[in-house]
Amino acid sequence: MGSGMMASPSFVFVSGGGGAGGAGSLSITTVPAIPQRLPMVADGVRSPLGSRFLRFPRNSCVRRLLFLHGHHRSLSRRFICGMSNSDMISQLELGKPDEKPGRGSRVNGVFWILLLNLGIYVVDHWFQVNTMKSLYLNHAWPQWYQFITATFCHADWNHLSSNLFFLYIFGKLVEEDEGSFALWISYLLTGAGANLVSWLVLPRNAVSIGASGAVFGLFAISVLVKIRWDWRKILEVLILGQFVLKKVMEEAQASARLQGTIFGGYSLHNINHIAHLSGALIGVLLIWLLSGIPSRPSAQDTHGLRRRADST
């Protein structure tokens, strides 16, 4: 066979012929391999040995297969021929192409964040490794990496437990809509930003730890990324938004009271309300900045633009 021709596998057909007494007799026919680049004709294919045409009966299994061979090469084929006395009924089952999973079908990023928070807590509190204290944000002498590492550290189990719960709920929502990379960026930027604001506002004898700033950032982001003209998304925004708005308002009021205790010379509270409020605000700012960047058009939009261009 010449170059440029790829032969497809041979096919074997089982046909039944009417015999004496109505008993069906079997005959086996082997169809040779059909070159994929041979020109198709109405009744068969052009023979590679000459100008003759290989013709087949109009309703034969071979002819139906040749038609599908020319139009559905990319699909998997399963040809089943059943015999009932002298009649042969063909059944064709076409395999569906592999469906690619959507962006939110596999959620892994949030689980890695949860494991990292759990692992640091175990090493810090159960094994009591002293070097883990260097990951805390020391306001007196802060290191650049402490603004990030402090978001994975927690004071006790109650502190960790509440943050893990909200991280799982709202982190999963963000990852399902925007992907794992966006989740990690949102967590790190809102957490580090909340620690930076805390360092600027709180006195130098304070130490900041916890993922609460990042959690409040995910609160805001999970709601804002769902704002679309879809009744399901609107319902999600209403349900999640009322909870997030209530939490943010509580933190704003607590932060105002905390400012009075700081400048009045009294002792500080254990809860860093400044980090909570600033984390939510940084989440809003992040979404606002990213909304100004033009997004890549989807395949559906591209197809629509091509159709309009063709029509003009």
Side-chain angles (χ1 to χ4, degrees), residues 5 32 35 38-39 41 44-55:
M5 290 187 177
L38 291 180
V41 295
V45 298
R46 190 181 299 274
S47 173
L49 303 179
S51 61
R52 296 172 49 199
F53 290 101
L54 301 178
R55 299 182 179 275

Side-chain angles (χ1 to χ4, degrees), residues 13-302:
F13 299 92
V14 180
S15 60
S25 60
L26 296 179
S27 62
I28 300 177
T29 304
T30 301
V31 180
I34 304 170
Q36 292 187 1
R37 297 193 178 181
L38 291 180
M40 292 292 173
V41 295
D43 298 326
V45 298
R46 190 181 299 274
S47 173
L49 303 179
S51 61
R52 296 172 49 199
F53 290 101
L54 301 178
R55 299 182 179 275
F56 305 99
R58 180 172 297 275
N59 295 324
S60 65
C61 293
V62 179
R63 184 173 176 183
R64 297 177 187 177
L65 183 63
L66 290 175
F67 174 79
L68 290 165
H69 177 80
H71 291 78
H72 301 282
R73 293 176 183 174
S74 61
L75 300 177
S76 59
R77 306 170 182 85
R78 183 179 174 188
F79 195 77
I80 305 174
C81 292
M83 184 192 69
S84 174
N85 290 335
S86 61
D87 297 329
M88 185 165 57
I89 304 173
S90 63
Q91 299 175 353
L92 185 64
E93 181 179 339
L94 296 178
K96 296 182 179 179
D98 295 335
E99 297 180 358
K100 295 182 179 180
R103 178 171 52 184
S105 60
R106 290 184 61 86
V107 177
N108 292 321
V110 65
F111 293 107
W112 285 112
I113 294 177
L114 295 174
L115 284 176
L116 190 56
N117 279 272
L118 277 171
I120 290 179
Y121 178 83
V122 169
V123 175
D124 187 11
H125 294 275
W126 291 5
F127 294 101
Q128 297 183 352
V129 178
N130 292 328
T131 56
M132 299 302 293
K133 299 296 186 292
S134 63
L135 302 179
Y136 297 1
L137 176 58
N138 188 349
H139 289 220
W141 301 100
Q143 302 294 324
W144 65 268
Y145 59 86
Q146 292 178 348
F147 291 96
I148 298 176
T149 57
T151 61
F152 298 96
C153 303
H154 293 82
D156 52 36
W157 177 254
N158 291 331
H159 187 202
L160 173 67
S161 177
S162 60
N163 281 341
L164 288 182
F165 175 78
F166 289 114
L167 268 177
Y168 173 74
I169 299 298
F170 290 90
K172 194 174 182 181
L173 291 175
V174 172
E175 186 173 10
E176 287 175 349
D177 282 336
E178 302 300 323
S180 298
F181 180 75
L183 171 64
W184 275 98
I185 293 297
S186 301
Y187 181 90
L188 296 176
L189 289 181
T190 55
N195 285 333
L196 178 61
V197 175
S198 299
W199 176 72
L200 294 174
V201 174
L202 297 180
R204 292 296 177 259
N205 61 345
V207 175
S208 295
I209 57 173
S212 301
V215 168
F216 272 80
L218 294 178
F219 280 174
I221 293 173
S222 64
V223 174
L224 295 177
V225 296
K226 292 183 178 295
I227 298 179
R228 299 170 197 164
W229 290 113
D230 186 336
W231 69 270
R232 291 172 290 248
K233 297 297 181 181
I234 294 175
L235 185 60
E236 283 184 297
V237 170
L238 291 176
I239 294 174
L240 297 174
Q242 57 86 25
F243 172 81
V244 171
L245 184 61
K246 177 183 176 182
K247 288 293 184 182
V248 172
M249 293 302 297
E250 290 176 354
E251 295 304 318
Q253 295 173 0
S255 299
R257 293 193 300 267
L258 182 60
Q259 287 292 332
T261 60
I262 292 174
F263 294 107
Y266 299 99
S267 60
L268 297 176
H269 295 280
N270 292 327
I271 301 176
N272 191 350
H273 299 286
I274 299 294
H276 296 176
L277 180 61
S278 57
L281 295 178
I282 292 173
V284 175
L285 179 62
L286 181 62
I287 294 299
W288 179 74
L289 291 176
L290 293 179
S291 63
I293 301 176
S295 59
R296 183 180 179 181
S298 61
Q300 184 177 2
D301 296 337
T302 306

